[in-house]
Amino acid sequence: MIIDKKNNKVISGNKTSALAPEATPQEKPVKPIQVESNGPMDVLKAFKTILREVKWEYGVPDSPAIFKTVQIDDGQYERIISPSGNKEETMGFPAAFVHFINWRYLVQQSRINEGRAELRIRFILNSLNVHEDDHDMDVYYVAERIHQTIQENISKYECLQERCQLEYIDPMESFDHGLQPCWMTYEIWFKQKNIWITRNKMYKKFVCPPFTNHADQDPTIEGVNPDNHTNLDHPKTYDEATDYTN
């Protein structure tokens, strides 16, 4: 092994030698946050997860899930019952679709990035015996099971804890193509961090002394100046005492 005596640098030989410079670990680049949490997208994700967990029977471990399809609503039902034929891809029923209506933000200066929205769940059953006494209220039963499951799971999702309140239910009004649609509407409040909190952040050192001189202290307060210093006991300047540099 050859060593440069002037700077103690390894020229050749064992690169893992104690004399070889240690490789500096490369820091992994931090991926910036694109969208802050607890906004509308988190609400939709939470509702989709909850709807997939809705069971036919509460407290029965092997009870099957009600919905075979859970998606964001973009008009699937209208395409399925289209007069010119089903224009939607194959999907399993019962199905549930969710989307926002009347999505808005508050404009008060003190409530930046607080929003309000109405979230609509459109669930669709596919029972054909809707006029039998044992099944004529299946839609109402499923609506209640959905609401119960949402209430049970609100505590698991921070984005639902501002407000997640059932407003109204539109029961079944049609039976097109053997499908029974029903709508449930929830009032949702959400709150997101404003991006100015994390972006373009600048760190500054701010020095704020509790007093200017000992003469400014209140001598009647016990413990304020235990060493009985005077203004002449501190020859240092303000910049020297605070390590302030231009």
Side-chain angles (χ1 to χ4, degrees):
M1 180 174 65
I2 302 173
I3 301 176
D4 186 348
K5 294 182 179 180
K6 292 184 179 180
N7 52 22
N8 207 33
K9 182 187 297 183
V10 175
I11 304 302
S12 64
N14 182 10
K15 301 301 182 182
T16 62
S17 168
L19 296 176
E22 296 182 0
T24 56
Q26 295 183 352
E27 295 183 359
K28 294 182 179 180
V30 179
K31 185 177 180 180
I33 298 175
Q34 303 301 319
V35 178
E36 294 290 350
S37 60
N38 295 331
M41 288 194 297
D42 285 351
V43 173
L44 288 173
K45 290 177 184 177
F47 265 80
K48 287 172 61 179
T49 302
I50 292 172
L51 288 171
R52 292 187 177 112
E53 297 175 356
V54 179
K55 308 292 185 181
W56 281 107
E57 296 178 278
Y58 170 75
V60 179
D62 57 349
S63 178
I66 293 179
F67 300 114
K68 297 181 180 179
T69 300
V70 177
Q71 297 176 351
I72 301 295
D73 194 342
D74 58 6
Q76 294 94 322
Y77 179 67
E78 285 75 11
R79 293 191 292 274
I80 290 172
I81 64 171
S82 172
S84 58
N86 184 358
K87 298 181 179 181
E88 184 61 35
E89 62 183 9
T90 302
M91 66 173 59
F93 285 95
F97 307 105
V98 294
H99 72 286
F100 279 119
I101 58 175
N102 196 15
W103 173 0
R104 61 199 183 277
Y105 284 88
L106 303 184
V107 296
Q108 295 95 324
Q109 193 69 19
S110 61
R111 311 189 78 169
I112 297 176
N113 273 33
E114 291 188 39
R116 305 286 186 261
E118 292 176 341
L119 185 141
R120 177 160 290 173
I121 301 172
R122 171 159 53 180
F123 68 90
I124 303 169
L125 305 185
N126 61 337
S127 301
L128 298 179
N129 52 348
V130 293
H131 296 136
E132 296 182 7
D133 288 341
D134 292 337
H135 297 281
D136 55 354
M137 288 188 287
D138 282 356
V139 168
Y140 304 96
Y141 176 82
V142 172
E144 187 61 29
R145 287 295 301 120
I146 291 173
H147 185 51
Q148 290 176 358
T149 307
I150 290 173
Q151 288 179 311
E152 293 166 7
N153 288 275
I154 282 179
S155 60
K156 299 179 182 178
Y157 300 95
E158 184 179 355
C159 59
L160 302 181
Q161 293 176 18
E162 282 288 318
R163 174 168 291 187
C164 177
Q165 185 68 40
L166 178 63
E167 286 190 314
Y168 51 85
I169 299 176
D170 294 327
M172 181 181 69
E173 296 179 354
S174 65
F175 191 43
D176 295 332
H177 294 222
L179 299 175
Q180 305 105 57
C182 180
W183 289 262
M184 302 175 67
T185 303
Y186 280 81
E187 181 185 13
I188 301 293
W189 291 9
F190 55 88
K191 181 186 297 184
Q192 294 173 275
K193 292 181 181 177
N194 202 307
I195 60 172
W196 63 262
I197 297 177
T198 55
R199 300 185 185 181
N200 300 325
K201 183 185 294 184
M202 298 178 65
Y203 291 93
K204 298 291 185 180
K205 182 177 180 181
F206 177 73
V207 179
C208 182
F211 50 84
T212 304
N213 288 309
H214 285 295
D216 299 311
Q217 295 175 296
D218 186 353
T220 62
I221 301 177
E222 183 179 356
V224 165
N225 189 2
D227 297 322
N228 297 318
H229 285 177
T230 66
N231 296 342
L232 301 178
D233 293 327
H234 300 284
K236 287 186 177 182
T237 65
Y238 174 83
D239 290 351
E240 292 174 337
T242 59
D243 293 329
Y244 176 79
T245 57
N246 291 324

